[in-house]
Amino acid sequence: MKGLILCAGKGTRLYPLTRSYPKTLIPVANIPILQTCIEKLTEQNITDIGIVISPSQERIMKDHIGTGEQWGLKLTYIYQHEPKGIADAVKQAEGYINKDSFLLLLGDNLITDSLAKLMLPVTSQISYASLMLTKVDNPHGYGIAEISDHRIVHLEEKPLLPRSNLAVLGAYAFHPLIFKAIAAITPSKRGEYEITDAIQWLINQGHPVPYHITEKQNSDIGTLERWLEANRWMLEEMSPTHRIHETCQLDNCDIIPPVAIAQGCRLKDCVIGPYVSIGADTNIEGCHIENSILLNQTQLKNIPYLIKDTVVGFQSVVAGLQSRGTVTDQ
Ligand SMILES: Cc1cn([C@H]2C[C@H](O)[C@@H](COP(=O)(O)OP(=O)(O)OP(=O)(O)O)O2)c(=O)[nH]c1=O
């Protein structure tokens, strides 16, 4: 079985950050999402992985993720020239996948459940596709599955009138017959080739599509709110205590776990946490921060108010005029 991870979207909901930086490389609990996806596939002993990127991401992806040698993997980069939808991105990988079955991950999804149950119906040749579902509160924003008699009977992307609250997560197992299904579909109303339409094609041809409903944590990192939410649960999953890299220097700081502080950071007179991730080589002095993500090489100094529910971009420099504690409400 091969693995395929899609990274070629526009990431418009995270602009301006993702205008020049791939969404799938942004960190959650200081680990790039794409790295977590790769590790998820290796848990299932998948060592041959295709990564679909846009040509403009080539250099930065190769710099950060490389050839996979460091993980003992074979990584193959595949290009999607225009983000015409998930099914179109999969189509670009047809030559790479060839006659193999594959696990497909959307590169902005974090899923904690094991992928073993997802793979089984396809590897044991019971079905041509299998899905992972989860219950959601706002079904309008997702691909939604309607179940009848323990079977998926209908799939719809971002429905106006959702037929259930079961959302399709960004993890799928496929037999290469999916390429025939993709060839048969046309763009949706929003102009994209939808993977849900390709799977619906399989269902319409009489091929059952099994599913597994996960109760475990998962997030797609499409918006700032979901990114912060994923950061919270990833920090909780990583360790019950805080994680501070041994090279960090902390002087007169209160650390309220869970937090993650990457290598080379210097913190002085700070209160940090809970739910804070601080990227490498960051300097912070005189700040109180909770539920936030600071990307690499940030510098914050004497911010006279609580920094909360915030993402601070790479190499940002923010300095207050006075030291903390001197500002009053007047
Ligand atoms: C639409 C699309 C997405 N993808 C990938 C990118 C993401 O990792 C994943 C989910 O994509 P989306 O979040 O649906 O799209 P996006 O990344 O373009 O973001 P936005 O909606 O904010 O503009 O699939 C492709 O590789 N090609 C595509 O054509």
Side-chain angles (χ1 to χ4, degrees):
M1 195 163 213
K2 285 181 176 144
L4 187 66
I5 306 176
L6 305 189
C7 302
K10 284 193 183 137
T12 49
R13 288 167 297 163
L14 284 176
Y15 274 5
L17 180 73
T18 48
R19 203 178 265 283
S20 55
Y21 197 80
K23 176 167 63 168
T24 56
L25 288 184
I26 62 175
V28 175
N30 281 348
I31 304 170
I33 311 167
L34 179 54
Q35 183 181 329
T36 307
C37 289
I38 291 171
E39 286 166 1
K40 203 74 205 152
L41 293 175
T42 58
E43 268 173 34
Q44 299 307 319
N45 299 320
I46 293 176
T47 53
D48 192 347
I49 299 175
I51 301 183
V52 180
I53 60 171
S54 83
S56 64
Q57 295 170 333
E58 180 173 2
R59 171 167 293 207
I60 194 164
M61 281 289 185
K62 288 187 174 166
D63 282 353
H64 282 75
I65 301 293
T67 59
E69 235 176 292
Q70 70 273 41
W71 294 295
L73 302 172
K74 181 177 164 237
L75 296 184
T76 304
Y77 292 94
I78 298 148
Y79 302 97
Q80 185 192 26
H81 288 266
E82 264 183 80
K84 291 195 279 186
I86 306 286
D88 180 74
V90 174
K91 187 177 163 184
Q92 310 310 313
E94 185 168 3
Y96 162 76
I97 295 290
N98 200 4
K99 292 189 168 56
D100 290 307
S101 299
F102 61 105
L103 269 182
L104 169 69
L105 296 181
L106 303 190
D108 65 346
N109 272 232
L110 289 175
I111 290 170
T112 29
D113 209 348
S114 157
L115 302 179
K117 286 189 193 132
L118 185 68
M119 282 169 68
L120 195 62
V122 175
T123 49
S124 56
Q125 301 188 341
I126 291 170
S127 74
Y128 292 123
S130 119
L131 304 184
M132 195 181 271
L133 307 178
T134 191
K135 291 185 182 137
V136 292
D137 296 331
N138 54 336
H140 296 96
Y142 295 86
I144 293 296
E146 183 189 359
I147 311 284
S148 171
D149 226 1
H150 303 290
R151 279 182 164 214
I152 298 178
V153 289
H154 184 258
L155 288 168
E156 193 174 357
E157 199 53 49
K158 302 187 175 60
L160 283 176
L161 299 170
R163 299 189 193 189
S164 82
N165 64 345
L166 289 172
V168 180
L169 284 178
Y172 316 73
F174 288 124
H175 176 276
L177 188 72
I178 194 66
F179 294 111
K180 195 170 172 194
I182 291 171
I185 63 168
T186 51
S188 63
K189 281 191 196 122
R190 61 176 185 154
E192 291 193 8
Y193 290 89
E194 312 283 0
I195 197 69
T196 41
D197 288 348
I199 301 165
Q200 183 72 50
W201 185 90
L202 289 178
I203 296 169
N204 295 347
Q205 300 293 309
H207 302 300
V209 174
Y211 60 91
H212 161 59
I213 301 179
T214 179
E215 307 273 336
K216 300 206 170 152
Q217 288 283 14
N218 56 78
S219 295
D220 79 87
I221 320 300
T223 63
L224 282 181
E225 291 71 24
R226 292 193 202 161
W227 186 7
L228 287 168
E229 178 196 304
N231 190 58
R232 283 197 295 278
W233 68 253
M234 276 282 281
L235 285 172
E236 263 168 1
E237 296 257 328
M238 278 169 89
S239 145
T241 54
H242 50 268
R243 293 191 154 199
I244 300 173
H245 195 270
E246 59 198 14
T247 54
C248 294
Q249 292 173 25
L250 271 61
D251 178 5
N252 189 32
C253 292
D254 283 345
I255 303 292
I256 307 166
V259 305
I261 307 179
Q263 70 274 14
C265 292
R266 285 190 297 182
L267 279 64
K268 189 169 178 237
D269 303 330
C270 291
V271 180
I272 305 289
Y275 305 115
V276 175
S277 295
I278 300 177
D281 304 317
T282 289
N283 292 335
I284 312 174
E285 189 177 331
C287 293
H288 183 178
I289 308 175
E290 61 181 61
N291 193 45
S292 294
I293 298 167
L294 278 59
L295 300 179
N296 294 358
Q297 298 173 0
T298 299
Q299 295 188 44
L300 299 181
K301 195 167 178 190
N302 295 333
I303 307 296
Y305 45 79
L306 174 64
I307 299 171
K308 195 179 173 195
D309 310 334
T310 299
V311 173
V312 183
F314 295 106
Q315 299 176 337
S316 301
V317 179
V318 189
L321 293 175
Q322 298 154 306
S323 4
R324 230 178 97 230
T326 59
V327 166
T328 65
D329 291 340
Q330 293 146 27

